[in-house]
Amino acid sequence: MTIQVSTVSDVRTTNGKAGDRVAYLTELLSLRPPLDCPAAWLQEIRDRAAARVQELSIPSPKDEEWRFTDLSPLLQTHFQTAQPQLAAISSAEIAPFVLPGPAHRMVFVDGVFAPSLSTEPVISTSLIVGNLDAVQQSSLWDQLPNYLAEQRGADEVFTALNSASLRDGAIAWVSQNQTLETPIHLLFISTKAEQASVNHPRGLVIAEPNSHLTVIEEYVSLEQGVYFTNPVTEIWIETNAAVHHTRIQRDAKESFHIGKTAVSQARDSRYTCNAISYGAQLSRHHLEIYQIGEQTETTLNGLTLIAGEQVADTHSAIAFTKPCGTSRQIHKCIVDDHAHAVFNGKIFVPKPAQLTDAGQVSRTLLLSPKARVDTKPQLEITADNVKCAHGATVSQLESDEIFYLQSRGIDEETARRLLTYAFAYDVIREIPIPSLQDTLAQFVREHF
Amino acid sequence: MICDNSEIILSVQDLTAEVDGTQILKGLNLEVKAGEIHAIMGPNGSGKSTFSKVLAGHPDYTVTGGTVTFLGQNLLEMEPEDRARSGVFLAFQYPIEIPGVSNLDFLRVSYNSKRKHQGLDELDAFDFDELVQQKLDVVKMDPAFLSRSVNEGFSGGEKKRNEILQMALLEPKLSILDETDSGLDIDALKIVSNGVNQLTTPENAIILITHYQRLLNYIEPDYVHVMEGGRIVTTGGKELALELEERGYDWVREEEAVGAK
Ligand SMILES: Nc1ncnc2c1ncn2[C@@H]1O[C@H](COP(=O)(O)OP(=O)(O)O)[C@@H](O)[C@H]1O
Ligand SMILES: [Mg+2]
């Protein structure tokens, strides 16, 4: 495949007026592809969401939620509907992304299911892994309307745009009392076309009561280029079930990524998310957890690694609603050159959520004087008997640390890289797949 | 061991240095020959750690005057990593923790950077593993420490033993041990001292910076220097350490005042 630089005709200037933001969103909506799996209830989801999108506009920095992340570069780019050439992609091309161990792999190229790159769909009484079309033949099909696009937060503009543009989805379901040892690998690939394209991948994970599931969700590209990917993944974790989720965003350097992870946790459930972002010129991850039952546990490990002119924004929200919930969150950012990281961590603890135990830590390592971070814990607590702690630090590499390594014969550059990796390590080590840890270690070695 | 005609490893003349604009070293002189063990004692804040960091090349310290010659080379012109590769080793008073970097990997990178400097082939993981296993005995270290992150969660004594393990691997010409004995219980002190004694040869030299005479019961120095106000003010044999223990540092200060008159 060839590498192409975006042409001037792809770009127009915008003064970012409110009218332009509405018009731009309308244009994105007009690009929605048809359903790959026609069904009336899916069309209803699309239409409802489209109606919602029509009430909205692309957010501007005047919106509190988008204060630090300016979408102007997105508005300056015109996209077309993705038309992936599935047949043109060989298994060899995706080999670097294939997990070395056993996995149920679902590959989507620009939002389109790629059966030849995926493992066989599984439709059994204990496990279902497949795209919408495959799931149509299962008993789960009738249940899907209770889950798909049913998470709270669906009204947010990019989430609604995704639902309005729904064409297919990656569905994973594990039945009650099942412990699935084999990870489910959702691989979302974006490709570069003649003209920059937009895609809206969709994922849905359902863990029935007492089940255990590991999900690896990755966003990658096969070549450099401008594109916009706007994924949404919904995860439902039922009573006493556990989901271990690793989400890695390593999109192409010039791309845009605005993604959503929405999770509902029933009583006694456990959810762990390792969210790693290091691709895209402009990225945003909405990570929203709704604890809808008592005594649920949420663990969020975040890592952003950016350089050059990258902007990477994580907006997380944990909503406690019932007593005795816990959350542990650590978010780390490594920011080099002129890059700009944003972290906003909301924690809602309303009256009924007594005995909540919530902890949040944000740590940033700035590797250059021009690097920037905006980090904001946002705790809204009305319950009176709770434990909520948060802390934020911004640091640089310590000269004492570099000197220690130098005094052992290690040159300064290697010393900096080792220490940068060390900073990221307590998030990286949570990733359950060693090869993915190695990929990240190598990325740090090559880029910092 | 003092031998008159042995090689001069380190020669420091009129060394002055400052940190953050404050003069700390104020004309320090010291000569160290192969085979010798020098103890540097002195009250807190007299500049002992500063001296050790200046020798190892810490970038926060600025040398404002004097010379330091190491094996005939101008040490002050060398980058810290090149000093290390050429045979200067500093055992830190406060070793740094590096989570995420395994002790074994760290030791190998360090060891190989020295081999490369000497024009030797780097050791692969397999050969290095064999070498490091032998060196563990020097400080009676549990091999489990190799797979842990560098110094992370190590006790004070374990960190100091790890420093001596690094010394054993790098086989420096000049080792500077900055309060390696501080905070050690008697068992750990014996292990560390015993390790250092095993590494002493007629070809290398050691500078022991210490607060306590106790260490010198286990590692016998050829010279004891007393540092005060950024200079070496008195030098003697090992009996000087005993005298200091009995009479304190005030006595040295008075002597010096008398001598200066
Ligand atoms: N980074 C620094 N900035 C300012 N002063 C320092 C710094 N490091 C050491 N000093 C000062 O230098 C003096 C000598 O310190 P140090 O060399 O650590 O002494 P010692 O090791 O003998 O106890 C002390 O007065 C100390 O406060
Ligand atoms: Mg000291």
Side-chain angles (χ1 to χ4, degrees):
Chain A
M1 299 212 177
T2 54
I3 294 173
Q4 243 189 336
V5 181
S6 74
T7 53
V8 180
S9 63
D10 291 350
V11 178
R12 66 161 185 183
T13 51
T14 170
N15 58 14
K17 278 191 198 136
D20 288 350
R21 291 175 181 272
V22 172
Y24 186 82
L25 183 58
T26 306
E27 190 181 305
L28 282 178
L29 184 63
S30 75
L31 296 173
R32 60 194 189 131
L35 270 168
D36 292 341
C37 172
W41 68 275
L42 292 172
Q43 190 55 46
E44 270 168 41
I45 289 175
R46 284 166 52 100
D47 292 345
R48 220 183 313 133
R52 170 68 187 161
V53 171
Q54 278 157 358
E55 299 167 359
L56 300 168
S57 71
I58 298 286
S60 84
K62 286 189 196 122
D63 293 281
E64 187 55 32
E65 283 304 292
W66 290 85
R67 220 175 109 200
F68 298 111
T69 302
D70 183 358
L71 291 172
S72 299
L74 180 72
L75 275 90
Q76 283 162 23
T77 314
H78 276 277
F79 297 98
Q80 64 171 13
T81 308
Q83 275 155 344
Q85 309 293 311
L86 290 189
I89 301 173
S90 66
S91 319
E93 270 178 286
I94 70 151
F97 305 112
V98 171
L99 303 180
H104 299 290
R105 183 176 64 254
M106 271 190 276
V107 181
F108 286 76
V109 178
D110 298 328
V112 178
F113 183 57
S116 66
L117 303 175
S118 306
T119 52
E120 270 303 300
V122 180
I123 308 285
S124 77
T125 52
S126 58
L127 178 69
I128 291 176
V129 180
N131 68 330
L132 276 172
D133 197 43
V135 174
Q136 213 165 355
Q137 288 123 45
S138 76
S139 56
L140 180 64
W141 182 252
D142 293 337
Q143 303 293 317
L144 282 188
N146 301 330
Y147 297 106
L148 190 66
E150 286 298 307
Q151 295 274 1
R152 278 160 56 180
D155 277 352
E156 186 272 328
V157 54
F158 289 102
T159 313
L161 181 63
N162 175 292
S163 296
S165 312
L166 178 75
R167 66 187 301 172
D168 201 345
I171 316 289
W173 170 89
V174 59
S175 79
Q176 55 184 339
N177 304 321
Q178 293 294 320
T179 294
L180 186 67
E181 303 286 354
T182 312
I184 290 176
H185 187 197
L186 309 181
L187 184 61
F188 297 104
I189 300 174
S190 292
T191 63
K192 160 99 178 79
E194 291 284 293
Q195 206 193 330
S197 68
V198 55
N199 64 66
H200 307 271
R202 188 84 184 198
L204 176 64
V205 175
I206 304 161
E208 283 209 333
N210 306 312
S211 64
H212 283 242
L213 186 59
T214 299
V215 180
I216 311 291
E217 178 188 8
E218 278 192 284
Y219 295 90
V220 306
S221 69
L222 296 180
E223 65 242 294
Q224 292 307 322
V226 183
Y227 60 82
F228 172 24
T229 187
N230 177 45
V232 172
T233 293
E234 295 172 279
I235 301 178
W236 299 88
I237 311 175
E238 300 188 346
T239 312
N240 201 36
V243 172
H244 196 285
H245 179 204
T246 295
R247 182 191 198 271
I248 300 180
Q249 184 274 101
R250 42 173 163 150
D251 273 303
K253 271 206 296 281
E254 298 162 70
S255 69
F256 299 89
H257 177 116
I258 299 179
K260 157 79 77 77
T261 306
V263 184
S264 288
Q265 288 189 253
R267 189 189 163 111
D268 294 322
S269 68
R270 277 99 55 213
Y271 174 65
T272 298
C273 182
N274 308 311
I276 323 285
S277 296
Y278 59 97
Q281 62 159 300
L282 193 165
S283 72
R284 166 105 156 189
H285 182 211
H286 293 114
L287 175 56
E288 297 174 2
I289 319 298
Y290 306 101
Q291 290 199 354
I292 53 179
E294 284 176 36
Q295 216 167 292
T296 51
E297 280 176 33
T298 305
T299 306
L300 306 182
N301 303 305
L303 176 64
T304 298
L305 295 149
I306 48 173
E309 307 289 326
Q310 285 178 291
V311 176
D313 179 344
T314 297
H315 266 61
S316 68
I318 304 172
F320 292 88
T321 59
K322 293 277 162 57
C324 301
T326 62
S327 69
R328 289 285 165 270
Q329 178 172 26
I330 178 154
H331 189 81
K332 291 202 162 185
C333 296
I334 297 174
V335 193
D336 202 357
D337 304 328
H338 291 79
H340 179 193
V342 179
F343 172 64
N344 178 292
K346 295 188 181 62
I347 295 178
F348 300 103
V349 189
K351 262 266 153 62
Q354 295 296 357
L355 300 172
T356 288
D357 181 355
Q360 179 190 79
V361 175
S362 150
R363 297 205 188 293
T364 302
L365 178 63
L366 295 180
L367 294 175
S368 120
K370 295 274 161 78
R372 176 177 161 192
V373 65
D374 288 287
T375 176
K376 184 182 174 195
Q378 203 176 325
L379 280 59
E380 294 179 19
I381 303 166
T382 48
D384 46 21
N385 187 8
V386 300
K387 212 164 92 189
C388 294
H390 67 89
T393 60
V394 178
S395 60
Q396 290 159 326
L397 292 179
E398 295 285 334
S399 66
D400 279 344
E401 296 174 345
I402 295 168
F403 174 63
Y404 183 63
L405 294 170
Q406 283 181 293
S407 77
R408 298 299 179 257
I410 297 168
D411 64 89
E412 185 178 342
E413 214 184 309
T414 308
R416 286 180 176 278
R417 230 177 296 129
L418 274 172
L419 292 167
T420 302
Y421 178 71
F423 180 84
Y425 177 70
D426 53 354
V427 175
I428 293 176
R429 74 173 155 201
E430 299 299 328
I431 298 173
I433 312 281
S435 69
L436 292 176
Q437 293 189 4
D438 294 345
T439 303
L440 273 164
Q442 182 156 354
F443 177 80
V444 173
R445 269 201 297 280
E446 287 169 3
H447 290 82
F448 291 96
Chain B
M1 169 208 345
I2 304 175
C3 292
D4 280 344
N5 49 6
S6 69
E7 174 190 29
I8 297 174
I9 290 188
L10 180 75
S11 171
V12 180
Q13 265 155 14
D14 294 324
L15 182 65
T16 56
E18 60 177 41
V19 59
D20 293 337
T22 312
Q23 187 87 2
I24 312 280
L25 299 185
K26 299 173 181 164
L28 193 147
N29 293 286
L30 181 68
E31 185 171 281
V32 178
K33 289 187 183 158
E36 295 175 354
I37 298 178
H38 291 244
I40 298 181
M41 305 183 74
N44 258 331
S46 57
K48 303 182 298 295
S49 291
T50 302
F51 178 48
S52 70
K53 286 178 188 167
V54 167
L55 290 180
H58 196 302
D60 289 357
Y61 298 80
T62 313
V63 173
T64 50
T67 59
V68 179
T69 310
F70 173 71
L71 298 174
Q73 282 182 288
N74 179 356
L75 189 69
L76 300 177
E77 272 181 353
M78 295 160 71
E79 293 297 322
E81 60 268 33
D82 288 327
R83 300 184 196 196
R85 294 165 187 169
S86 308
V88 175
F89 179 85
L90 170 60
F92 280 55
Q93 188 172 357
Y94 305 108
I96 306 288
E97 299 187 4
I98 315 171
V101 178
S102 89
N103 214 12
L104 186 65
D105 286 345
F106 168 64
L107 293 170
R108 194 177 65 234
V109 172
S110 171
Y111 180 76
N112 277 332
S113 70
K114 177 167 183 183
R115 299 236 345 155
K116 218 162 117 187
H117 184 78
Q118 294 170 324
L120 300 170
D121 282 344
E122 298 185 19
L123 282 198
D124 63 23
F126 187 79
D127 289 339
F128 182 75
D129 206 49
E130 202 161 303
L131 174 73
V132 85
Q133 294 295 342
Q134 297 165 15
K135 303 288 182 184
L136 286 174
D137 284 345
V138 172
V139 282
K140 299 194 163 50
M141 199 189 235
D142 184 339
F145 281 90
L146 294 174
S147 50
R148 288 174 52 179
S149 292
V150 179
N151 292 328
E152 193 189 26
F154 288 26
S155 71
E158 287 159 355
K159 283 181 183 165
K160 299 295 174 79
R161 275 151 76 174
N162 208 21
E163 295 289 284
I164 303 305
L165 174 64
Q166 293 166 28
M167 174 178 162
L169 272 165
L170 295 174
E171 297 180 334
K173 278 298 261 193
L174 175 68
S175 303
I176 306 142
L177 311 186
D178 189 2
E179 295 207 24
T180 299
D181 56 322
S182 292
L184 296 189
D185 62 31
I186 194 73
D187 291 334
L189 179 68
K190 280 183 187 164
I191 290 172
V192 164
S193 316
N194 188 23
V196 173
N197 285 330
Q198 288 176 61
L199 300 173
T200 311
T201 72
E203 280 78 45
N204 63 23
I206 293 175
I207 298 175
L208 290 176
I209 294 173
T210 180
H211 223 67
Y212 308 104
Q213 190 274 333
R214 183 182 74 153
L215 174 68
L216 307 181
N217 293 334
Y218 298 95
I219 307 176
E220 209 169 293
D222 300 301
Y223 296 97
V224 174
H225 309 278
V226 179
M227 199 159 162
E228 168 72 42
R231 295 186 303 128
I232 286 174
V233 293
T234 309
T235 295
K238 63 182 179 209
E239 62 295 337
L240 179 58
L242 288 167
E243 210 160 345
L244 286 169
E245 181 101 326
E246 266 169 41
R247 301 172 65 179
Y249 290 110
D250 288 347
W251 156 74
V252 180
R253 276 175 211 151
E254 282 155 23
E255 290 272 293
E256 198 210 347
V258 172
K261 270 179 197 165

